Amino acid sequence: MRNELLKIGPFTIYGYGFMIALGIIAAFLIAEKRAKRNNLDSEQIVFLSVCTVLCGFLGAKLLYWITELPAFIKNPMSFFTTMADGFVVYGGIIGGIIGGFVISKIKMLDFLAYFDLMIPSIAIAQGFGRIGCFLAGCCYGKETKSALHIVFHSSWYAPNGVALIPTQLYSAGLDFIHFAILLLIAAKTRKKGVVAACYLIFYSAGRFILEFFRGDINRGSVGMLSTSQFIAVFVFVIGIAGLIWRSKTDVK
């Protein structure tokens, strides 16, 4: 695992940022190709992609700041030291969805149709992002004696020299599987909103379980649940409700 992939003079290409960029590019290309196949305006994909990515990053940062609010109150200067790092995936998902909804209304686009179109791309982007987490050593797992472990030696985030559960790789694998399943569902249904609802269900369920194996515990909690698990419960319920609602609607 090497977060510093390449140095060119004073510039450094980091594994985390590189994988995030690769995921965004892959997500865009896939969404654009699927838009043409589904008779949707592929020219709108560029604008939607940029807006949802920006809103996603903003949402991820805002939720991180909210979860770290007690620490910021104790040490206000620490707020400024987290400007370049510290993001919560659920904040990114929520921010991206809200941004996509607002832009769809402004440009008079069919929100559910484009939501279904782009959501599998979100899953594959998350998979690349988790590989970036693996390279950086963040989002690491608990200590383990299992043969299936990873040992970091120069991570800025994970404890070095300790056998850890490779939660980043498990998460990446689930995201790629999630992507494939969503494509299959999209090919089998004509009802708008079903693919998006399935994404919310699958992602929240997988994330809830994986949280039990995470070792970076300083990420906030609500009672016995981590912040992400707490949010996952609501996202799962929303996904189930959305699936039931859209499954009962007529095809349009």
Side-chain angles (χ1 to χ4, degrees):
M1 291 64 63
R2 183 181 177 87
N3 194 30
E4 295 183 0
L5 293 181
L6 180 66
K7 284 190 175 182
I8 305 175
F11 299 101
T12 302
I13 298 177
Y14 292 97
Y16 182 79
F18 177 76
M19 296 308 299
I20 291 292
L22 193 61
I24 292 173
I25 293 171
F28 167 73
L29 293 176
I30 291 169
E32 186 180 43
K33 183 176 181 179
R34 293 186 64 238
K36 294 177 180 178
R37 186 179 300 170
N38 288 278
N39 297 318
L40 293 173
D41 188 355
S42 61
E43 294 183 0
Q44 300 293 340
I45 299 302
V46 176
F47 189 73
L48 280 170
S49 296
V50 172
C51 291
T52 53
V53 166
L54 291 177
C55 290
F57 275 112
L58 178 60
K61 174 56 71 175
L62 286 175
L63 187 54
Y64 172 77
W65 282 335
I66 292 172
T67 59
E68 292 296 314
L69 187 58
F72 293 145
I73 293 175
K74 292 181 181 179
N75 181 17
M77 292 305 298
S78 65
F79 174 85
F80 300 100
T81 63
T82 62
M83 295 299 292
D85 58 7
F87 297 92
V88 177
V89 173
Y90 269 120
I93 294 172
I94 295 170
I97 292 174
I98 293 174
F101 177 79
V102 172
I103 295 302
S104 295
K105 290 299 181 182
I106 293 174
K107 296 182 71 66
M108 294 183 289
L109 301 174
D110 187 333
F111 171 68
L112 287 179
Y114 281 92
F115 194 7
D116 281 344
L117 172 75
M118 298 189 71
I119 206 66
S121 292
I122 300 300
I124 199 169
Q126 287 176 315
F128 281 105
R130 286 306 183 188
I131 294 176
C133 292
F134 179 68
L135 293 174
C138 61
C139 306
Y140 55 88
K142 294 180 178 179
E143 292 187 28
T144 181
K145 295 181 179 179
S146 169
L148 298 175
H149 67 264
I150 185 67
V151 178
F152 292 95
H153 298 288
S154 57
S155 172
W156 296 347
Y157 306 101
N160 294 299
V162 180
L164 303 173
I165 299 172
T167 49
Q168 308 98 324
L169 296 183
Y170 292 154
S171 183
L174 286 175
D175 285 328
F176 291 132
I177 292 172
H178 193 184
F179 165 72
I181 292 174
L182 290 175
L183 289 184
L184 289 175
I185 294 173
K188 297 291 184 181
T189 183
R190 293 173 57 198
K191 293 187 176 182
K192 298 173 186 177
V194 169
V195 177
C198 287
Y199 169 85
L200 297 178
I201 294 168
F202 297 152
Y203 179 78
S204 59
R207 183 62 186 271
F208 187 92
I209 295 171
L210 277 174
E211 282 290 303
F212 288 112
F213 302 96
R214 290 277 289 268
D216 51 338
I217 58 176
N218 296 323
R219 294 177 296 108
S221 62
V222 180
M224 297 179 63
L225 302 177
S226 70
T227 301
S228 291
Q229 285 179 317
F230 181 75
I231 297 174
V233 173
F234 292 95
V235 173
F236 184 83
V237 172
I238 292 171
I240 291 293
L243 182 61
I244 294 173
W245 169 50
R246 296 311 301 171
S247 295
K248 290 182 178 181
T249 57
D250 296 328
V251 176
K252 293 183 179 180

